[in-house]
Amino acid sequence: MGKKSTTGNKNKEKRQARKLEQRRIADGMSFVTSANKLKDLSPLCQDLLVYNNLESMEINMCIQRVTELDKDVLNWAISLTERNMKRLYETCAWGWNKERKVEEMTDDAAWYLIARNNDNILQAFSHFRFDMDFGEPVLYCYEVQIEEGGRRKGLGQRVMQVLERLARATHMRCVRLTALTHNPSAAAFFKACGYSIDETSPAKEYSAHYEILSKYIEPTEDQVPSTDSSNRIELSGS
Ligand SMILES: CC(C)(COP(=O)(O)OP(=O)(O)OC[C@H]1O[C@@H](n2cnc3c(N)ncnc32)[C@H](O)[C@@H]1OP(=O)(O)O)[C@@H](O)C(=O)NCCC(=O)NCCS
């Protein structure tokens, strides 16, 4: 009897845990769908979209889906990525494959944060997506790229702050990204921004040339409840 009831309880616990996990994943998927349905992300982070570094730069940022991006802006983003990353890709197992990179950068799921200076000159961008990753809703940062002359002025950090704000406002669990291990300036940058090795990062013996970094996002109290019956994200907590 005693043994039987223990087994029964264990099965019940297992069923409950499975249900909870299914619920967690379903909620995550609904957050991702809601985020991707938003027409305009700027209201979620308006106060961060102007960046004034009094010493040297005045920056205005906008956020667009790749499908709305001006062709010239997209071509500049591709060119900047090639200028910044080609050598790093070539010196690791991935190699540089421009066609594959362009395919990734033009995927319909891509969102772009674009930064221009006061003279309307393009300075930086981030390609990011709202997606399910290892069963969690995440804001995945595919690229953060700054023009050489615009570096070490706090712009990269501001770009990451915008992504983190968007992640919080849309109920993503974290901002996650893939970083090349032989890119020491990026490693120092992400560490300074509070990123650390993610639990999903593969063991070094499987992937010596890259690692997964993340910053977990604590939801604010006023974000709850997160969605209404029509699956619309409440913006009040942004
Ligand atoms: C990595 C990158 C995005 C950083 O952007 P940035 O605007 O220069 O960074 P910030 O000015 O916001 O730096 C914030 C902090 O990060 C750290 N950091 C940034 N760049 C660094 C570098 N080259 N070396 C050491 N630390 C660095 C510093 O602590 C810095 O604070 P500080 O300047 O007060 O010391 C930029 O250098 C870049 O675009 N590099 C080429 C592309 C790339 O590697 N992208 C990342 C992988 S996708």
Side-chain angles (χ1 to χ4, degrees):
M1 272 295 270
K3 202 171 178 194
K4 199 176 170 197
S5 99
T6 310
T7 313
N9 281 343
K10 273 192 182 155
N11 283 341
K12 196 174 166 191
E13 276 169 25
K14 269 190 196 165
R15 269 201 308 277
Q16 274 173 346
R18 217 172 24 241
K19 263 192 186 163
L20 270 177
E21 177 66 1
Q22 282 166 353
R23 176 69 198 269
R24 198 183 58 75
I25 291 174
D27 282 351
M29 286 167 75
S30 116
F31 290 140
V32 167
T33 305
S34 296
N36 280 317
K37 271 188 190 160
L38 288 171
K39 294 259 176 291
D40 184 7
L41 296 180
S42 341
L44 302 175
C45 53
Q46 201 73 60
D47 58 311
L48 295 176
L49 294 180
V50 174
Y51 178 66
N52 279 316
N53 175 333
L54 292 181
E55 284 163 28
S56 47
M57 54 168 37
E58 205 172 321
I59 294 285
N60 282 291
M61 292 181 243
C62 66
I63 307 170
Q64 288 178 296
R65 291 170 195 277
V66 69
T67 46
E68 296 160 354
L69 213 55
D70 190 277
K71 257 227 147 57
D72 290 343
V73 176
L74 182 61
N75 286 337
W76 161 81
I78 292 166
S79 146
L80 178 61
T81 306
E82 185 164 19
R83 281 183 276 131
N84 284 351
M85 304 305 290
K86 187 176 176 200
R87 270 187 68 81
L88 285 159
Y89 274 63
E90 278 171 348
T91 48
C92 76
W94 283 345
W96 176 255
N97 182 329
K98 186 166 178 181
E99 231 171 76
R100 201 162 55 211
K101 184 49 94 179
V102 170
E103 204 176 300
E104 177 187 282
M105 290 179 74
T106 52
D107 189 290
D108 277 358
W111 287 88
Y112 278 79
L113 174 64
I114 303 287
R116 292 180 172 85
N117 70 11
N118 245 4
D119 299 322
N120 217 26
I121 300 197
L122 292 155
Q123 287 294 305
F125 82 92
S126 172
H127 159 201
F128 64 95
R129 301 186 196 175
F130 301 103
D131 207 353
M132 289 299 281
D133 191 47
F134 289 89
E136 287 185 315
V138 306
L139 187 154
Y140 213 103
C141 172
Y142 278 71
E143 309 282 350
V144 48
Q145 303 288 342
I146 319 276
E147 285 284 1
E148 205 161 353
R151 294 186 199 160
R152 293 310 285 268
K153 294 172 182 167
L155 179 54
Q157 199 150 26
R158 172 56 69 91
V159 167
M160 298 313 291
Q161 283 167 356
V162 173
L163 301 189
E164 289 154 25
R165 173 78 70 83
L166 291 175
R168 178 170 288 111
T170 55
H171 303 269
M172 299 297 113
R173 265 300 270 135
C174 63
V175 174
R176 195 171 275 163
L177 55 96
T178 305
L180 290 168
T181 46
H182 59 297
N183 186 0
S185 45
F189 166 70
F190 289 123
K191 191 170 177 215
C193 293
Y195 286 72
S196 54
I197 303 272
D198 188 79
E199 61 198 18
T200 66
S201 195
K204 280 210 171 14
E205 55 265 38
Y206 297 117
S207 64
H209 65 291
Y210 77 93
E211 56 196 9
I212 312 293
L213 305 179
S214 65
K215 186 166 175 178
Y216 273 78
I217 306 289
E218 288 304 325
T220 53
E221 275 177 31
D222 57 349
Q223 276 185 323
V224 186
S226 51
T227 56
D228 66 13
S229 54
S230 63
N231 201 24
R232 183 171 58 82
I233 289 174
E234 297 294 345
L235 304 185
S236 57
S238 56

